[in-house]
Structure formats: C-alpha cells, structure tokens
Amino acid sequence: MTWFKKDPLQIIVFQTYGTDSHFYARGRALEDESIDLEDQSFFTLLVNSWKRFETDELKRAPLKIRLPNGKVYEVLTDDGGYFLLDERVHGLTAYTNEECWLKFEVSYGDFQHKHPIQSENRFPGELLVPDLDSDFGIVSDIDDTIIHTGVASKLKWRVLYNTFLKHAGNRIPLKGAPEFYHLLHRGTTGKKSNPIFYVSHSPWNLYRYLEYFLKKNNFPKGPIVLRTFPRLFRFKKRDEKPHKQKEIVNILKAYPDLKFILIGDSGEHDPDIYIEIAESHPDRILAIYLRSVIHEKKLQRVKSLIKDYVKTPVLLVKDSEQAIFHARENGFVK
C-alpha cells in the first residue's frame, strides 16, 4: 500500500544574481510532487500543470545555506514556503567559475517532520556575479519575446493552451533568438560573459518549466526572475509600478556602472515600461529591442509611442536577423 506514502521534501533554489560583496539567495521548500519534465503525454501535461499550482509548501521550515567560503547562514521559509537570504559577504568573486557563477548549497535544518528528504539533504544553488569587464548587461522578457505564448490573443486562450497543455520540450523558441542572445552574451570580442537576466510576469510556479525550456533550447544561462502570486484582495496602489519594472530597476541598481540592453515584445506593456526606465536612467540603456507581435491595434500603439522617441534607440523587429544586424552596426556584438 503506497496511498499514504509521504512525499519526499525538496528545495528548489532559484538562480539569482549578486556582486562581489552582496550574496542574494532565494528559493522554495516543497514536497516533491514528482513532476516529470520529460514525459510528453497529454494526461501527464494536465497532471503536471495541476501539480505546479497545487503545491504542498513547507511553512516556517528552518534552512541552512552554505557558501563556498564555509560560512553557513540560517533562514526560515515564509507561509508560501519561500526563503530569502540577503547578506553582505565580501570576496565572492574569488569563488566564481569562468562563466561568473558562484555555487552554494541549501539544506533543511532540524525540525519535526515525517518525510524523507531528497538528494541526501543537499540542494545546489547558483548565484551570478557579473564580470566587471562586461560590455553591458541584457534584460529580456520571456513571453512572446523568446517563446511564443500568445499574450496578445483574445481572452488569453493561447497563453493558457501554450502554458498548460504544451510540453516545455515542444515549445519552439522564436526563430534566431538563441543565436542573438549568445552573440550579446559574448559581446564585442566574442569572448565576453555579459550577464543576461530573464524577467517575466509569470509566477514562480513555472520556474522549473522555464528553466528547462531555456536550457533545452540552448539559451545562455542567466538568473530567472519571476513573481509571487499576489495575496487575495490586495489592491494595487495608484502609483505602484508593475512587477517587471521594479525587478529591472533592482537589477540596474545592483550594477550602477553597467549599461544595459532591454529586450521585449510589442504585445503588452514592455514598450511603456522600457521607455520609462530609459527616461529614468539616462545613459544607462544602450538599446531597446521589441519583437513585433501580430496584433495590428497593439502594433500601431507601439509605433506611435516610439515614433518620436530619440533618447535611446528603440527597434521594432520582426525577427532576430534585424536585431543582430542592428547590434553589429552599433558595435554590441562581434
């Protein structure tokens, strides 16, 4: 009889970013629901979609985070099972690999439970510490920027279908996107490690799904920044900025000496967010690339928005070839 078998505990450690003196780790402690990212059957896709959002999180669970320098920090998960460690730790660059990633480890501390723990209670994490010699950083949206999602579709039915009923391995990246991102990542000499940050409005529940997609389709590795579902009955303040905008501003603040290229699409709010960021951070944004979404009304609105904007180059592109051509002309890539 296995009906009442206890699901093993796991810790999903999100890829994050920091600096030589700023260690920032976040993730989530959950019961493992055995989501098989390789199984492509229709029934499994439905079950996996349900499992991603019907999670059994570990509330107020003690965790230990061990850095490569031997330091150990302790944190407690919140009511959603999420944890966050934000600490000043000097000399982190010494522990990064050639691609600027620092490896650390998260484990459960002592608490009362009756579940087995996966991976011998050792869960790997990675933190990106960008090279000071980087040409620039890249911030990219995900939906309809590198993967067709359908955010501009009526009633968002394409979003639902693509997200919940399509296997991550069968989602096809928009043509030329991996090549374009690798060129930006390698920069002016073809040998750089320019940092790439993937920022999306999608919830953290889709983290492993999106991580799997990026890896399978050979995109450069980078921190994936998603959002936590808002609390019920939480009303947005009138002057509150969108989640994506706040996260991008946080990235800019983390690296004040680094300029950035922003990549998004014309389907939703990327043009407005990116232009406002460029206005607020003069001389920090080298270029804005917006992939055209097939929606005439939205496209016309974006064209009107960027028509007279001259402070930062804003390019509305149909494909990656146009973006690559512009990036080469402006000396961003080799």
Side-chain angles (χ1 to χ4, degrees):
M1 295 286 291
T2 59
W3 292 351
F4 300 103
K5 183 180 178 182
K6 299 290 186 181
D7 289 332
L9 305 184
Q10 63 174 338
I11 301 173
I12 300 175
V13 188
F14 306 141
Q15 289 174 343
T16 56
Y17 61 90
T19 68
D20 182 66
S21 59
H22 184 192
F23 182 84
Y24 184 80
R26 66 189 307 176
R28 200 177 190 194
L30 301 164
E31 293 182 22
D32 181 22
E33 299 291 350
S34 301
I35 294 178
D36 186 352
L37 290 169
E38 296 292 342
D39 192 330
Q40 300 188 25
S41 68
F42 181 77
F43 178 74
T44 299
L45 289 174
L46 285 176
V47 172
N48 285 350
S49 295
W50 167 257
K51 288 179 177 179
R52 285 190 185 98
F53 291 89
E54 199 288 309
T55 55
D56 293 315
E57 56 273 359
L58 275 294
K59 302 177 182 179
R60 302 298 166 184
L63 305 180
K64 294 182 178 181
I65 300 177
R66 183 181 297 276
L67 276 59
N69 61 6
K71 286 188 177 181
V72 177
Y73 295 89
E74 297 184 358
V75 296
L76 280 177
T77 60
D78 64 17
D79 288 341
Y82 293 99
F83 70 87
L84 172 66
L85 178 66
D86 190 344
E87 289 284 341
R88 288 288 168 187
V89 184
H90 294 280
L92 293 176
T93 304
Y95 301 98
T96 59
N97 61 21
E98 60 182 13
E99 283 294 312
C100 305
W101 288 93
L102 178 146
K103 297 181 183 297
F104 59 95
E105 189 175 276
V106 184
S107 61
Y108 283 99
D110 296 327
F111 72 111
Q112 295 295 321
H113 66 90
K114 297 181 180 179
H115 298 255
I117 301 178
Q118 288 183 339
S119 305
E120 299 180 344
N121 196 19
R122 300 177 66 179
F123 299 90
E126 290 183 297
L127 171 88
L128 179 66
V129 182
D131 192 333
L132 294 177
D133 192 37
S134 298
D135 294 328
F136 47 78
I138 305 100
V139 175
S140 173
D141 180 38
I142 296 177
D143 300 328
D144 283 324
T145 299
I146 61 177
I147 180 174
H148 177 63
T149 304
V151 293
S153 65
K154 291 183 179 179
L155 302 178
K156 299 291 188 285
W157 70 268
R158 286 191 180 276
V159 176
L160 297 175
Y161 173 76
N162 287 324
T163 302
F164 298 112
L165 299 178
K166 289 193 74 172
H167 184 268
N170 291 336
R171 301 284 296 275
I172 299 173
L174 294 173
K175 186 178 179 182
E179 178 190 0
F180 179 42
Y181 283 55
H182 274 287
L183 286 171
L184 291 173
H185 177 53
R186 293 306 177 195
T188 54
T189 65
K191 297 179 180 179
K192 297 281 187 175
S193 293
N194 296 327
I196 295 184
F197 306 84
Y198 300 97
V199 181
S200 171
H201 195 62
S202 296
W204 286 112
N205 304 66
L206 292 176
Y207 175 83
R208 289 199 297 177
Y209 181 92
L210 295 173
E211 180 188 38
Y212 180 88
F213 168 83
L214 291 170
K215 185 175 181 180
K216 187 172 182 65
N217 289 286
N218 193 35
F219 280 89
K221 187 165 71 172
I224 302 171
V225 183
L226 307 179
R227 70 182 179 102
T228 304
F229 273 129
R231 298 187 303 272
L232 290 176
F233 308 115
R234 177 187 179 275
F235 295 99
K236 187 175 180 181
K237 297 177 183 177
R238 180 176 296 181
D239 59 346
E240 185 176 350
K241 299 299 183 183
H243 160 265
K244 186 186 295 184
Q245 185 168 346
K246 290 188 285 188
E247 293 291 356
I248 295 173
V249 169
N250 285 340
I251 292 170
L252 266 64
K253 288 179 179 177
Y255 310 107
D257 298 324
L258 195 61
K259 296 187 178 183
F260 282 84
I261 290 173
L262 307 181
I263 309 175
D265 65 83
S266 64
E268 289 290 308
H269 305 296
D270 287 353
D272 306 84
I273 291 172
Y274 289 1
I275 286 176
E276 185 172 335
I277 289 172
E279 287 279 0
S280 302
H281 299 80
D283 304 323
R284 293 287 308 279
I285 308 303
L286 294 173
I288 297 172
Y289 295 109
L290 298 171
R291 188 179 291 272
S292 299
V293 171
I294 304 174
H295 190 293
E296 190 58 33
K297 188 176 180 180
K298 291 179 183 290
L299 200 56
Q300 289 304 318
R301 187 191 77 84
V302 172
K303 286 180 179 179
S304 174
L305 181 68
I306 67 176
K307 181 178 65 174
D308 299 319
Y309 188 76
V310 296
K311 291 183 180 179
T312 299
V314 182
L315 197 67
L316 195 60
V317 299
K318 292 182 179 179
D319 52 46
S320 295
E321 288 185 5
Q322 286 182 280
I324 291 172
F325 179 80
H326 180 272
R328 283 207 172 103
E329 270 200 330
N330 285 270
F332 301 148
V333 303
K334 185 176 179 181

mmCIF file of all heavy atoms in Angstrom, residues 10-14 28 30-37 48 51-52 55 118 123 168 203-216 224 226:
data_model
loop_
_atom_site.group_PDB
_atom_site.id
_atom_site.type_symbol
_atom_site.label_atom_id
_atom_site.label_comp_id
_atom_site.label_asym_id
_atom_site.label_seq_id
_atom_site.Cartn_x
_atom_site.Cartn_y
_atom_site.Cartn_z
ATOM 1 N N GLN A 10 11.842 18.542 -0.919
ATOM 2 C CA GLN A 10 12.849 19.078 -1.825
ATOM 3 C C GLN A 10 12.992 20.574 -1.577
ATOM 4 O O GLN A 10 12.162 21.192 -0.897
ATOM 5 C CB GLN A 10 12.448 18.840 -3.282
ATOM 6 C CG GLN A 10 11.165 19.562 -3.663
ATOM 7 C CD GLN A 10 10.826 19.451 -5.137
ATOM 8 O OE1 GLN A 10 11.696 19.189 -5.961
ATOM 9 N NE2 GLN A 10 9.575 19.656 -5.485
ATOM 10 N N ILE A 11 14.049 21.151 -2.126
ATOM 11 C CA ILE A 11 14.236 22.598 -2.102
ATOM 12 C C ILE A 11 14.568 23.031 -3.532
ATOM 13 O O ILE A 11 15.528 22.534 -4.127
ATOM 14 C CB ILE A 11 15.376 23.033 -1.159
ATOM 15 C CG1 ILE A 11 15.099 22.564 0.276
ATOM 16 C CG2 ILE A 11 15.535 24.552 -1.184
ATOM 17 C CD1 ILE A 11 16.266 22.808 1.231
ATOM 18 N N ILE A 12 13.753 23.900 -4.088
ATOM 19 C CA ILE A 12 14.036 24.461 -5.409
ATOM 20 C C ILE A 12 14.779 25.769 -5.190
ATOM 21 O O ILE A 12 14.228 26.717 -4.609
ATOM 22 C CB ILE A 12 12.749 24.696 -6.207
ATOM 23 C CG1 ILE A 12 11.991 23.377 -6.406
ATOM 24 C CG2 ILE A 12 13.061 25.333 -7.561
ATOM 25 C CD1 ILE A 12 10.637 23.547 -7.080
ATOM 26 N N VAL A 13 16.025 25.815 -5.613
ATOM 27 C CA VAL A 13 16.851 27.007 -5.421
ATOM 28 C C VAL A 13 16.867 27.776 -6.740
ATOM 29 O O VAL A 13 17.313 27.260 -7.767
ATOM 30 C CB VAL A 13 18.287 26.640 -4.993
ATOM 31 C CG1 VAL A 13 19.054 27.900 -4.610
ATOM 32 C CG2 VAL A 13 18.263 25.652 -3.823
ATOM 33 N N PHE A 14 16.354 28.987 -6.722
ATOM 34 C CA PHE A 14 16.288 29.790 -7.934
ATOM 35 C C PHE A 14 17.666 30.373 -8.262
ATOM 36 O O PHE A 14 18.417 30.750 -7.363
ATOM 37 C CB PHE A 14 15.299 30.945 -7.766
ATOM 38 C CG PHE A 14 13.918 30.519 -7.335
ATOM 39 C CD1 PHE A 14 13.200 31.272 -6.423
ATOM 40 C CD2 PHE A 14 13.339 29.367 -7.845
ATOM 41 C CE1 PHE A 14 11.925 30.894 -6.028
ATOM 42 C CE2 PHE A 14 12.068 28.975 -7.457
ATOM 43 C CZ PHE A 14 11.358 29.733 -6.534
ATOM 44 N N ARG A 28 12.433 27.908 -2.808
ATOM 45 C CA ARG A 28 11.186 27.455 -2.193
ATOM 46 C C ARG A 28 11.332 26.020 -1.691
ATOM 47 O O ARG A 28 11.924 25.177 -2.377
ATOM 48 C CB ARG A 28 10.046 27.535 -3.198
ATOM 49 C CG ARG A 28 8.660 27.568 -2.579
ATOM 50 C CD ARG A 28 7.589 27.722 -3.622
ATOM 51 N NE ARG A 28 6.287 27.980 -3.004
ATOM 52 C CZ ARG A 28 5.133 27.903 -3.636
ATOM 53 N NH1 ARG A 28 5.110 27.586 -4.927
ATOM 54 N NH2 ARG A 28 3.991 28.141 -3.014
ATOM 55 N N LEU A 30 9.444 22.629 -0.733
ATOM 56 C CA LEU A 30 8.196 21.981 -1.114
ATOM 57 C C LEU A 30 8.276 20.473 -0.935
ATOM 58 O O LEU A 30 9.366 19.894 -0.907
ATOM 59 C CB LEU A 30 7.879 22.241 -2.598
ATOM 60 C CG LEU A 30 7.718 23.666 -3.105
ATOM 61 C CD1 LEU A 30 7.818 23.668 -4.620
ATOM 62 C CD2 LEU A 30 6.390 24.223 -2.664
ATOM 63 N N GLU A 31 7.110 19.863 -0.862
ATOM 64 C CA GLU A 31 7.055 18.418 -1.034
ATOM 65 C C GLU A 31 7.187 18.144 -2.530
ATOM 66 O O GLU A 31 6.648 18.870 -3.358
ATOM 67 C CB GLU A 31 5.737 17.856 -0.510
ATOM 68 C CG GLU A 31 5.562 17.953 0.993
ATOM 69 C CD GLU A 31 4.260 17.331 1.465
ATOM 70 O OE1 GLU A 31 3.703 16.484 0.726
ATOM 71 O OE2 GLU A 31 3.792 17.689 2.555
ATOM 72 N N ASP A 32 7.927 17.105 -2.877
ATOM 73 C CA ASP A 32 8.127 16.769 -4.284
ATOM 74 C C ASP A 32 6.895 16.062 -4.818
ATOM 75 O O ASP A 32 6.506 15.002 -4.335
ATOM 76 C CB ASP A 32 9.351 15.871 -4.438
ATOM 77 C CG ASP A 32 9.605 15.512 -5.896
ATOM 78 O OD1 ASP A 32 9.135 16.267 -6.774
ATOM 79 O OD2 ASP A 32 10.259 14.492 -6.150
ATOM 80 N N GLU A 33 6.279 16.649 -5.849
ATOM 81 C CA GLU A 33 5.091 16.059 -6.446
ATOM 82 C C GLU A 33 5.410 15.217 -7.680
ATOM 83 O O GLU A 33 4.527 14.835 -8.433
ATOM 84 C CB GLU A 33 4.106 17.177 -6.835
ATOM 85 C CG GLU A 33 3.620 18.017 -5.662
ATOM 86 C CD GLU A 33 2.721 17.246 -4.716
ATOM 87 O OE1 GLU A 33 2.315 16.128 -5.062
ATOM 88 O OE2 GLU A 33 2.429 17.771 -3.627
ATOM 89 N N SER A 34 6.702 14.941 -7.869
ATOM 90 C CA SER A 34 7.154 14.069 -8.972
ATOM 91 C C SER A 34 6.694 14.578 -10.333
ATOM 92 O O SER A 34 6.083 13.847 -11.117
ATOM 93 C CB SER A 34 6.653 12.629 -8.758
ATOM 94 O OG SER A 34 7.120 12.123 -7.535
ATOM 95 N N ILE A 35 7.001 15.833 -10.623
ATOM 96 C CA ILE A 35 6.709 16.386 -11.941
ATOM 97 C C ILE A 35 7.775 15.920 -12.918
ATOM 98 O O ILE A 35 8.953 16.201 -12.735
ATOM 99 C CB ILE A 35 6.661 17.922 -11.886
ATOM 100 C CG1 ILE A 35 5.480 18.382 -11.022
ATOM 101 C CG2 ILE A 35 6.564 18.512 -13.285
ATOM 102 C CD1 ILE A 35 5.373 19.879 -10.870
ATOM 103 N N ASP A 36 7.354 15.187 -13.940
ATOM 104 C CA ASP A 36 8.282 14.640 -14.930
ATOM 105 C C ASP A 36 8.344 15.585 -16.124
ATOM 106 O O ASP A 36 7.409 15.658 -16.921
ATOM 107 C CB ASP A 36 7.815 13.249 -15.369
ATOM 108 C CG ASP A 36 8.821 12.562 -16.285
ATOM 109 O OD1 ASP A 36 9.799 13.211 -16.705
ATOM 110 O OD2 ASP A 36 8.625 11.377 -16.582
ATOM 111 N N LEU A 37 9.443 16.314 -16.251
ATOM 112 C CA LEU A 37 9.577 17.280 -17.340
ATOM 113 C C LEU A 37 9.837 16.626 -18.691
ATOM 114 O O LEU A 37 9.764 17.287 -19.724
ATOM 115 C CB LEU A 37 10.705 18.263 -17.007
ATOM 116 C CG LEU A 37 10.408 19.251 -15.875
ATOM 117 C CD1 LEU A 37 11.670 19.986 -15.465
ATOM 118 C CD2 LEU A 37 9.318 20.230 -16.268
ATOM 119 N N ASN A 48 0.771 17.528 -14.467
ATOM 120 C CA ASN A 48 1.900 18.394 -14.098
ATOM 121 C C ASN A 48 1.455 19.843 -13.902
ATOM 122 O O ASN A 48 1.934 20.534 -12.989
ATOM 123 C CB ASN A 48 2.989 18.332 -15.165
ATOM 124 C CG ASN A 48 3.786 17.042 -15.097
ATOM 125 O OD1 ASN A 48 3.655 16.271 -14.151
ATOM 126 N ND2 ASN A 48 4.598 16.802 -16.109
ATOM 127 N N LYS A 51 -0.125 20.094 -10.586
ATOM 128 C CA LYS A 51 0.858 19.984 -9.506
ATOM 129 C C LYS A 51 1.655 21.274 -9.332
ATOM 130 O O LYS A 51 2.050 21.613 -8.216
ATOM 131 C CB LYS A 51 1.823 18.823 -9.787
ATOM 132 C CG LYS A 51 1.200 17.435 -9.610
ATOM 133 C CD LYS A 51 2.209 16.356 -9.935
ATOM 134 C CE LYS A 51 1.641 14.970 -9.701
ATOM 135 N NZ LYS A 51 2.618 13.907 -10.048
ATOM 136 N N ARG A 52 1.920 21.988 -10.422
ATOM 137 C CA ARG A 52 2.717 23.213 -10.323
ATOM 138 C C ARG A 52 2.040 24.270 -9.461
ATOM 139 O O ARG A 52 2.696 25.098 -8.832
ATOM 140 C CB ARG A 52 2.982 23.790 -11.718
ATOM 141 C CG ARG A 52 4.026 23.019 -12.513
ATOM 142 C CD ARG A 52 4.424 23.769 -13.763
ATOM 143 N NE ARG A 52 5.323 22.948 -14.558
ATOM 144 C CZ ARG A 52 4.940 22.207 -15.600
ATOM 145 N NH1 ARG A 52 3.679 22.230 -15.983
ATOM 146 N NH2 ARG A 52 5.804 21.471 -16.258
ATOM 147 N N THR A 55 0.571 23.268 -4.749
ATOM 148 C CA THR A 55 1.816 22.863 -4.111
ATOM 149 C C THR A 55 1.622 22.615 -2.618
ATOM 150 O O THR A 55 0.762 23.226 -1.976
ATOM 151 C CB THR A 55 2.885 23.949 -4.294
ATOM 152 O OG1 THR A 55 2.368 25.195 -3.813
ATOM 153 C CG2 THR A 55 3.265 24.096 -5.763
ATOM 154 N N GLN A 118 15.010 14.448 -0.141
ATOM 155 C CA GLN A 118 15.725 14.098 -1.376
ATOM 156 C C GLN A 118 17.195 14.508 -1.318
ATOM 157 O O GLN A 118 17.603 15.338 -0.503
ATOM 158 C CB GLN A 118 15.062 14.782 -2.576
ATOM 159 C CG GLN A 118 13.733 14.211 -2.981
ATOM 160 C CD GLN A 118 13.198 14.914 -4.216
ATOM 161 O OE1 GLN A 118 13.588 16.037 -4.537
ATOM 162 N NE2 GLN A 118 12.304 14.267 -4.930
ATOM 163 N N PHE A 123 20.983 20.523 -1.648
ATOM 164 C CA PHE A 123 20.356 21.086 -2.840
ATOM 165 C C PHE A 123 21.217 22.224 -3.382
ATOM 166 O O PHE A 123 21.436 23.229 -2.699
ATOM 167 C CB PHE A 123 18.948 21.581 -2.500
ATOM 168 C CG PHE A 123 18.045 20.485 -2.011
ATOM 169 C CD1 PHE A 123 17.966 20.189 -0.651
ATOM 170 C CD2 PHE A 123 17.312 19.713 -2.898
ATOM 171 C CE1 PHE A 123 17.151 19.169 -0.186
ATOM 172 C CE2 PHE A 123 16.493 18.689 -2.455
ATOM 173 C CZ PHE A 123 16.412 18.413 -1.089
ATOM 174 N N ALA A 168 7.230 21.580 -22.312
ATOM 175 C CA ALA A 168 8.304 22.580 -22.423
ATOM 176 C C ALA A 168 9.292 22.211 -23.522
ATOM 177 O O ALA A 168 9.839 23.082 -24.197
ATOM 178 C CB ALA A 168 9.027 22.713 -21.086
ATOM 179 N N PRO A 203 4.474 33.398 -12.726
ATOM 180 C CA PRO A 203 4.689 33.094 -11.303
ATOM 181 C C PRO A 203 5.848 32.120 -11.107
ATOM 182 O O PRO A 203 6.233 31.385 -12.023
ATOM 183 C CB PRO A 203 3.361 32.448 -10.879
ATOM 184 C CG PRO A 203 2.845 31.823 -12.133
ATOM 185 C CD PRO A 203 3.253 32.751 -13.242
ATOM 186 N N TRP A 204 6.390 32.103 -9.883
ATOM 187 C CA TRP A 204 7.492 31.204 -9.557
ATOM 188 C C TRP A 204 7.123 29.738 -9.762
ATOM 189 O O TRP A 204 8.011 28.888 -9.925
ATOM 190 C CB TRP A 204 7.928 31.424 -8.104
ATOM 191 C CG TRP A 204 8.706 32.679 -7.885
ATOM 192 C CD1 TRP A 204 8.305 33.785 -7.193
ATOM 193 C CD2 TRP A 204 10.038 32.965 -8.356
ATOM 194 N NE1 TRP A 204 9.303 34.747 -7.203
ATOM 195 C CE2 TRP A 204 10.371 34.274 -7.909
ATOM 196 C CE3 TRP A 204 10.973 32.245 -9.104
ATOM 197 C CZ2 TRP A 204 11.592 34.864 -8.179
ATOM 198 C CZ3 TRP A 204 12.197 32.844 -9.389
ATOM 199 C CH2 TRP A 204 12.493 34.130 -8.932
ATOM 200 N N ASN A 205 5.837 29.428 -9.776
ATOM 201 C CA ASN A 205 5.410 28.043 -10.007
ATOM 202 C C ASN A 205 5.906 27.507 -11.346
ATOM 203 O O ASN A 205 6.036 26.287 -11.528
ATOM 204 C CB ASN A 205 3.884 27.954 -9.977
ATOM 205 C CG ASN A 205 3.293 28.492 -8.699
ATOM 206 O OD1 ASN A 205 3.389 29.691 -8.429
ATOM 207 N ND2 ASN A 205 2.690 27.628 -7.887
ATOM 208 N N LEU A 206 6.190 28.392 -12.287
ATOM 209 C CA LEU A 206 6.655 27.973 -13.610
ATOM 210 C C LEU A 206 8.171 28.019 -13.732
ATOM 211 O O LEU A 206 8.706 27.855 -14.834
ATOM 212 C CB LEU A 206 6.033 28.868 -14.689
ATOM 213 C CG LEU A 206 4.512 28.722 -14.877
ATOM 214 C CD1 LEU A 206 4.018 29.734 -15.905
ATOM 215 C CD2 LEU A 206 4.149 27.308 -15.307
ATOM 216 N N TYR A 207 8.876 28.187 -12.636
ATOM 217 C CA TYR A 207 10.327 28.357 -12.690
ATOM 218 C C TYR A 207 11.018 27.183 -13.387
ATOM 219 O O TYR A 207 11.793 27.367 -14.332
ATOM 220 C CB TYR A 207 10.904 28.546 -11.282
ATOM 221 C CG TYR A 207 12.419 28.611 -11.278
ATOM 222 C CD1 TYR A 207 13.076 29.804 -11.559
ATOM 223 C CD2 TYR A 207 13.190 27.473 -11.026
ATOM 224 C CE1 TYR A 207 14.452 29.869 -11.589
ATOM 225 C CE2 TYR A 207 14.569 27.534 -11.051
ATOM 226 C CZ TYR A 207 15.200 28.729 -11.326
ATOM 227 O OH TYR A 207 16.569 28.772 -11.369
ATOM 228 N N ARG A 208 10.772 25.962 -12.926
ATOM 229 C CA ARG A 208 11.476 24.809 -13.497
ATOM 230 C C ARG A 208 11.064 24.566 -14.943
ATOM 231 O O ARG A 208 11.870 24.116 -15.754
ATOM 232 C CB ARG A 208 11.249 23.569 -12.641
ATOM 233 C CG ARG A 208 11.976 23.629 -11.301
ATOM 234 C CD ARG A 208 12.128 22.273 -10.659
ATOM 235 N NE ARG A 208 10.844 21.696 -10.347
ATOM 236 C CZ ARG A 208 10.686 20.489 -9.828
ATOM 237 N NH1 ARG A 208 11.724 19.719 -9.582
ATOM 238 N NH2 ARG A 208 9.473 20.022 -9.554
ATOM 239 N N TYR A 209 9.822 24.846 -15.270
ATOM 240 C CA TYR A 209 9.329 24.725 -16.643
ATOM 241 C C TYR A 209 10.118 25.648 -17.562
ATOM 242 O O TYR A 209 10.599 25.244 -18.627
ATOM 243 C CB TYR A 209 7.847 25.070 -16.659
ATOM 244 C CG TYR A 209 7.157 24.968 -17.999
ATOM 245 C CD1 TYR A 209 6.529 23.791 -18.388
ATOM 246 C CD2 TYR A 209 7.098 26.057 -18.871
ATOM 247 C CE1 TYR A 209 5.869 23.697 -19.608
ATOM 248 C CE2 TYR A 209 6.448 25.978 -20.080
ATOM 249 C CZ TYR A 209 5.824 24.795 -20.446
ATOM 250 O OH TYR A 209 5.183 24.711 -21.663
ATOM 251 N N LEU A 210 10.284 26.914 -17.156
ATOM 252 C CA LEU A 210 11.002 27.886 -17.977
ATOM 253 C C LEU A 210 12.506 27.613 -17.987
ATOM 254 O O LEU A 210 13.168 27.775 -19.020
ATOM 255 C CB LEU A 210 10.723 29.301 -17.474
ATOM 256 C CG LEU A 210 9.272 29.760 -17.613
ATOM 257 C CD1 LEU A 210 9.055 31.097 -16.926
ATOM 258 C CD2 LEU A 210 8.871 29.851 -19.085
ATOM 259 N N GLU A 211 13.038 27.197 -16.848
ATOM 260 C CA GLU A 211 14.458 26.838 -16.785
ATOM 261 C C GLU A 211 14.761 25.693 -17.747
ATOM 262 O O GLU A 211 15.766 25.707 -18.471
ATOM 263 C CB GLU A 211 14.815 26.435 -15.354
ATOM 264 C CG GLU A 211 16.278 26.044 -15.160
ATOM 265 C CD GLU A 211 16.540 25.476 -13.782
ATOM 266 O OE1 GLU A 211 15.677 24.733 -13.263
ATOM 267 O OE2 GLU A 211 17.611 25.760 -13.226
ATOM 268 N N TYR A 212 13.866 24.703 -17.777
ATOM 269 C CA TYR A 212 14.014 23.559 -18.685
ATOM 270 C C TYR A 212 13.980 24.024 -20.142
ATOM 271 O O TYR A 212 14.795 23.594 -20.974
ATOM 272 C CB TYR A 212 12.889 22.563 -18.405
ATOM 273 C CG TYR A 212 12.898 21.321 -19.274
ATOM 274 C CD1 TYR A 212 13.627 20.192 -18.894
ATOM 275 C CD2 TYR A 212 12.161 21.259 -20.447
ATOM 276 C CE1 TYR A 212 13.632 19.045 -19.671
ATOM 277 C CE2 TYR A 212 12.157 20.116 -21.242
ATOM 278 C CZ TYR A 212 12.891 19.011 -20.852
ATOM 279 O OH TYR A 212 12.885 17.884 -21.629
ATOM 280 N N PHE A 213 13.044 24.901 -20.478
ATOM 281 C CA PHE A 213 12.925 25.413 -21.845
ATOM 282 C C PHE A 213 14.197 26.139 -22.277
ATOM 283 O O PHE A 213 14.725 25.911 -23.376
ATOM 284 C CB PHE A 213 11.730 26.348 -21.956
ATOM 285 C CG PHE A 213 11.701 27.133 -23.243
ATOM 286 C CD1 PHE A 213 11.189 26.575 -24.393
ATOM 287 C CD2 PHE A 213 12.222 28.421 -23.305
ATOM 288 C CE1 PHE A 213 11.189 27.278 -25.590
ATOM 289 C CE2 PHE A 213 12.225 29.136 -24.491
ATOM 290 C CZ PHE A 213 11.710 28.565 -25.639
ATOM 291 N N LEU A 214 14.703 27.021 -21.432
ATOM 292 C CA LEU A 214 15.896 27.798 -21.779
ATOM 293 C C LEU A 214 17.106 26.895 -21.994
ATOM 294 O O LEU A 214 17.883 27.082 -22.937
ATOM 295 C CB LEU A 214 16.187 28.819 -20.680
ATOM 296 C CG LEU A 214 15.182 29.967 -20.539
ATOM 297 C CD1 LEU A 214 15.447 30.751 -19.261
ATOM 298 C CD2 LEU A 214 15.239 30.893 -21.749
ATOM 299 N N LYS A 215 17.257 25.912 -21.126
ATOM 300 C CA LYS A 215 18.398 25.003 -21.231
ATOM 301 C C LYS A 215 18.284 24.117 -22.458
ATOM 302 O O LYS A 215 19.254 23.934 -23.202
ATOM 303 C CB LYS A 215 18.497 24.146 -19.969
ATOM 304 C CG LYS A 215 19.720 23.246 -19.941
ATOM 305 C CD LYS A 215 19.825 22.506 -18.613
ATOM 306 C CE LYS A 215 21.074 21.619 -18.578
ATOM 307 N NZ LYS A 215 21.189 20.900 -17.278
ATOM 308 N N LYS A 216 17.098 23.565 -22.708
ATOM 309 C CA LYS A 216 16.901 22.648 -23.835
ATOM 310 C C LYS A 216 17.113 23.347 -25.170
ATOM 311 O O LYS A 216 17.569 22.743 -26.134
ATOM 312 C CB LYS A 216 15.504 22.038 -23.779
ATOM 313 C CG LYS A 216 15.269 20.935 -24.811
ATOM 314 C CD LYS A 216 13.944 20.239 -24.597
ATOM 315 C CE LYS A 216 13.757 19.120 -25.600
ATOM 316 N NZ LYS A 216 14.753 18.027 -25.415
ATOM 317 N N ILE A 224 16.693 33.822 -13.525
ATOM 318 C CA ILE A 224 15.296 33.881 -13.960
ATOM 319 C C ILE A 224 14.511 34.551 -12.840
ATOM 320 O O ILE A 224 14.445 34.030 -11.726
ATOM 321 C CB ILE A 224 14.743 32.475 -14.256
ATOM 322 C CG1 ILE A 224 15.585 31.780 -15.335
ATOM 323 C CG2 ILE A 224 13.283 32.566 -14.695
ATOM 324 C CD1 ILE A 224 15.230 30.319 -15.535
ATOM 325 N N LEU A 226 10.961 35.797 -11.573
ATOM 326 C CA LEU A 226 9.521 35.689 -11.757
ATOM 327 C C LEU A 226 8.813 36.416 -10.614
ATOM 328 O O LEU A 226 9.417 37.229 -9.939
ATOM 329 C CB LEU A 226 9.121 34.210 -11.833
ATOM 330 C CG LEU A 226 9.895 33.380 -12.874
ATOM 331 C CD1 LEU A 226 9.433 31.935 -12.856
ATOM 332 C CD2 LEU A 226 9.723 33.967 -14.270
#
